[in-house]
Amino acid sequence: MTFPHWPNLVTMFFAQADRLGERPFLWSKRDGAYAPMTWRSVAAQVSALARGLEAIGVERGDRVVIVSESRPEWLIADLAIMAVGGITVPVFTTNTVDDHRFILEDSGAKGLIVSSARLAEPALAAVHQAAKAWFVVTMDPISAERNTGVDVHSWGDLITLGNKGHTNVVAAAGRLTRDDVACIIYTSGTGGVPKGVMLHHGAILHNCAGAAHVLEPLGIEDEVFLSFLPLSHSYEHTAGLCFPIFLAAQIYYAEGVEKLAANMVEARPTIMTAVPRLYEALHQRFEQRIRRASRLQRALILKALNLGRRRFHDPNGLGLWERVVDAVVERLVRDKIRAQFGGRLKALVSGGAPLNAEIGLFFQALGINILQGYGQTEAAPVVSVNSPGDVKMHTVGRPLKDTEVRIAEDGEILVRGELVMKGYWNNDEATALALRDGWLHTGDVGAFDADGHLMITDRKKDLIVNSGGDNISPTRIEGFLIMEREIGQAMVYGDRRPNLVALIVPDLEWMKDWARTAGRPPNLAALHQDPEFVKALGDAVQRVNARLPVPERVRRFAVAHEPMTVENEQLTPTLKIRRHVVRAIYGDALERLYG
């Protein structure tokens, strides 16, 4: 299949909308049920909002911040900002006033589009403190007392204002080139202060074309996406917003992680993107269900897993009788599991962090096609991904079409191509370090296997170098630890130390079961120093150690006081560990483990 070489993201959208007209495009919950907006109605709102933004003073090159949950208005705002030549600055809904103020000041944004009254409070407070920001657009109504000192426009009023304008938005958008900056996405800051990554239209379009090429064997037509990751993250912005437009697909907006299971059944997606933490949580739930199933159900599921794993490693390795049994469990087990994902899922694409190979194989064996990829915001963000029929679970696949990847002498992964960012906004020093001789220096360490699949070792800056000089990947060991039933989260520690220690967060369901059996109160605050509870966790750690070489073994561990969450700032909004934050909280406790 040949895909058009679009000049920019906005022209691509308007061309698709003109072709698809009254076909459904965006689905969101209204009065408890999903209801659609058509391509034509979305295009009308994009044009009207663009003219409204132009009327209040937004000009080419101006930055406009978006603070919103994933919903149709997010996409409309993004396209409208770009349509007038502006630059979208997406931010996380979990940001504090200080976070918002930093991004407003650093980006020099003129204004901000915010969804709800709840999110408007910190956003407005930040706008009041920012030197250049002077307007706010609210998707939902907010109370009048919040409006003092800032020009506040409601979404409806700005649409009405735009409908009175005469600018030909489609023609104006056509003047944008692939080289123009589309958005500035601030990195989530796992190791410190966020940097604003400047992504041009061509970088994102390059990603879309590359992803379409990978998924083409699945038959990419009439696709349905379920969007639930934050659209402020480059992964979902490209894969959950721009890529569906590229494919002329429908997008359903999930109501949140807590309702994701129900939304999958309602939306019946064909493609979903997710981060490894979701698969880890789903894996833990499936394991609990297997343990609680009847003897017959457990036997069928375990048979499906066993045969599925063997078939994955050797498609022709099953004997005649085993193929018959595999066909039976396909109907009795795998079809039922696929129904829980909506029943027509072609692929789950995993990215944002390394996926434990055993967890990926678990789902693959149960009939869920998982394609692990790799990338970073600075590459718009996908660099490589496993292809259908060519999946190696311990790798992140081959580089996207027209993407160059090479390994430096020190093992660092270098990337070159149109997908690479323009640089970091307002940070020439960081740009010079990241972009050298046309190559993006990713900070990740990896290697190619004999078949050209890329394998990721770790973040270069996160590698632990112990006092014996061994280079150790903490994420690899953490992946093994969280596979144990008792362990929900883990962070490994030990740079320049003689051995490794770890911070362990118990699995909450296991903890409740253990407390009930032991007659203890079922809360972490009461249990984290209970000797018998700690011993049970220690047994899980030792099981992992038995499978690891000596330098990678965790010698001692501390039990966390609480889970690592986005709310306590120990996880990024995309559920990666903020190691510097966790070290600041638990550093003394971890150091005491060395005696």
Side-chain angles (χ1 to χ4, degrees), residues 162-386:
N163 282 328
K164 297 175 181 177
H166 302 289
T167 300
N168 186 328
V169 175
V170 177
R175 293 192 284 272
L176 295 168
T177 71
R178 292 175 73 99
D179 201 49
D180 285 321
V181 176
C183 56
I184 299 173
I185 298 183
Y186 280 80
T187 57
S188 51
T190 58
V193 177
K195 298 188 291 288
V197 178
M198 294 186 288
L199 295 178
H200 49 297
H201 289 260
I204 297 171
L205 287 165
H206 178 283
N207 250 234
C208 292
H213 178 75
V214 168
L215 295 178
E216 191 173 357
L218 296 176
I220 43 176
E221 55 184 30
D222 299 323
E223 302 305 329
V224 176
F225 285 68
L226 178 60
S227 176
F228 76 98
L229 293 177
L231 281 164
S232 45
H233 190 272
S234 61
Y235 182 32
E236 188 68 9
H237 183 251
T238 292
L241 187 158
C242 298
F243 188 43
I245 295 173
F246 186 93
L247 295 181
Q250 300 175 60
I251 305 172
Y252 281 72
Y253 291 98
E255 297 174 273
V257 174
E258 67 283 352
K259 294 187 178 180
L260 184 59
N263 292 159
M264 282 192 286
V265 174
E266 294 170 299
R268 302 181 64 233
T270 61
I271 298 173
M272 274 185 65
T273 55
V275 292
R277 184 58 192 150
L278 173 71
Y279 303 121
E280 292 161 6
L282 288 173
H283 173 262
Q284 288 168 346
R285 291 179 196 170
F286 273 112
E287 289 280 12
Q288 290 162 12
R289 285 171 54 187
I290 293 170
R291 286 190 294 271
R292 294 169 183 169
S294 70
R295 183 176 298 179
L296 176 59
Q297 289 173 325
R298 189 183 308 116
L300 287 170
I301 295 171
L302 293 177
K303 181 60 72 174
L305 281 167
N306 176 265
L307 293 174
R309 287 181 175 122
R310 288 177 55 195
R311 185 155 46 85
F312 175 80
H313 289 301
D314 183 2
N316 301 312
L318 299 184
L320 177 60
W321 175 245
E322 289 173 320
R323 290 198 297 272
V324 171
V325 175
D326 193 51
V328 171
V329 295
E330 185 78 16
R331 296 289 301 274
L332 296 179
V333 176
R334 298 192 188 108
D335 279 354
K336 291 180 180 178
I337 289 173
R338 281 190 284 261
Q340 296 174 34
F341 289 82
R344 57 179 181 181
L345 191 65
K346 296 178 181 178
L348 280 171
V349 184
S350 179
L355 174 68
N356 184 288
E358 285 301 314
I359 291 179
L361 183 55
F362 176 89
F363 285 104
Q364 200 82 28
L366 289 178
I368 302 298
N369 196 22
I370 288 189
L371 305 176
Q372 181 180 198
Y374 159 74
Q376 55 183 216
T377 303
E378 290 84 346
V382 183
V383 172
S384 67
V385 66
N386 277 281

Side-chain angles (χ1 to χ4, degrees), residues 494-516:
D495 200 44
R496 297 185 295 276
R497 306 299 304 221
N499 53 262
L500 300 181
V501 298
L503 180 73
I504 299 294
V505 179
D507 177 77
L508 296 183
E509 289 300 319
W510 170 82
M511 181 184 72
K512 292 174 185 176
D513 289 344
W514 186 93
R516 184 169 51 252

Side-chain angles (χ1 to χ4, degrees), residues 428-585:
D428 292 340
E429 183 179 352
T431 299
L433 286 173
L435 300 178
R436 285 173 261 166
D437 299 323
W439 291 92
L440 170 65
H441 289 242
T442 65
D444 291 320
V445 178
F448 284 105
D449 72 4
D451 296 323
H453 287 68
L454 183 62
M455 300 177 291
I456 308 300
T457 303
D458 215 325
R459 283 291 296 170
K460 192 175 179 181
K461 64 182 179 183
D462 287 339
L463 277 176
I464 291 172
V465 183
N466 66 16
S467 57
D470 297 301
N471 289 330
I472 298 169
S473 164
T475 54
R476 165 181 149 81
I477 302 164
E478 289 156 4
F480 282 120
L481 288 168
I482 62 173
M483 284 290 291
E484 298 300 313
R485 179 191 174 197
E486 297 89 340
I487 299 174
Q489 296 170 301
M491 190 192 84
V492 174
Y493 179 88
D495 200 44
R496 297 185 295 276
R497 306 299 304 221
N499 53 262
L500 300 181
V501 298
L503 180 73
I504 299 294
V505 179
D507 177 77
L508 296 183
E509 289 300 319
W510 170 82
M511 181 184 72
K512 292 174 185 176
D513 289 344
W514 186 93
R516 184 169 51 252
T517 302
R520 305 286 206 278
N523 64 79
L524 186 53
L527 289 173
H528 81 281
Q529 291 183 326
D530 184 304
E532 291 185 35
F533 181 71
V534 174
K535 181 181 181 304
L537 289 172
D539 291 342
V541 173
Q542 289 309 312
R543 290 198 299 271
V544 172
N545 282 340
R547 306 196 300 271
L548 294 174
V550 172
E552 294 185 352
R553 293 175 184 170
V554 173
R555 299 304 175 90
R556 302 183 72 186
F557 65 91
V559 182
H561 306 144
E562 61 180 353
M564 292 182 272
T565 67
V566 175
E567 288 70 28
N568 63 24
E569 299 185 354
Q570 293 174 40
L571 296 181
T572 71
T574 51
L575 308 181
K576 289 185 280 190
I577 298 173
R578 278 195 164 116
R579 296 180 187 273
H580 66 292
V581 173
V582 177
R583 285 195 296 265
I585 297 169

